Structure formats: structure tokens, C-alpha cells
Amino acid sequence: SFASASRKILFFPNPANREITVMIPDIWSDEKWQWEIYEINGRKIKEGGMEKNIYSRISGLESLEAGLYFIRFRSASGMQVVEKLVVE
């Protein structure tokens, strides 16, 4: 569910500059996850997939202007988590 998922997906550092490490809880590590980064106006500017693993790295954030973004994580089974991401 959305509520339980949002408490368990962690990523760091935040604020970020070049990359972030995403930590998926053990119980979901066999799921295929996608990520999407949105500007605050809702425009999607970056997306990708993550390996079936507890830790994944998202890089290339240095191409983003400094500011506030939203990052959405979606699993193949339909779980969804949206968090704020600050890029320095």
C-alpha cells in the first residue's frame, strides 16, 4: 500500500548533487522498480529502472538545475511512493 511503502523506501543523500543511493526494503527487493524524477510543475525530466536488489544507484543528477524535485518509485505490482528530492 502507499502508506506502508512510503515509510520504507529510503534514498540518500538528500540534498543530492551527482547521484543518490536508493534502499528498497528486503521484502520488496525481488520486485522490479522504476523511478521517475519530476519538476515541481509536474513535467517528467528523467526516468529509469532499478535492478532487483536492496540497493540501487541513480546517477546523472548533475545535469539538473539546483532546486526541488519529486521522485516517484513504482513497482511492477503497482506499489507507488513519491518523495521530495533536493538537488544542490
Side-chain angles (χ1 to χ4, degrees), residues 17 35-49 58-72 74 83-88:
N17 46 38
W35 57 268
E36 300 163 337
I37 297 176
Y38 293 86
E39 294 179 331
I40 55 172
N41 64 12
R43 187 169 74 97
K44 182 169 36 175
I45 53 171
K46 243 175 151 36
E47 63 184 325
I58 298 173
S59 58
L61 301 182
E62 66 274 7
S63 65
L64 304 180
E65 290 186 25
L68 176 65
Y69 297 86
F70 292 101
I71 185 164
R72 178 166 74 165
R74 284 186 303 143
E83 297 287 348
K84 290 179 183 173
L85 169 66
V86 177
V87 173
E88 294 184 322

Side-chain angles (χ1 to χ4, degrees), residues 13-25:
N14 190 18
N17 46 38
R18 288 192 293 278
E19 65 181 29
I20 58 173
T21 298
V22 180
M23 195 171 119
I24 302 290

Side-chain angles (χ1 to χ4, degrees), residues 1-10 28 33 79-83:
S1 77
F2 184 85
S4 62
S6 65
R7 288 196 295 269
K8 296 182 180 174
I9 291 185
L10 304 173
W28 296 328
W33 289 84
M79 284 185 284
Q80 194 169 186
V81 177
V82 178
E83 297 287 348

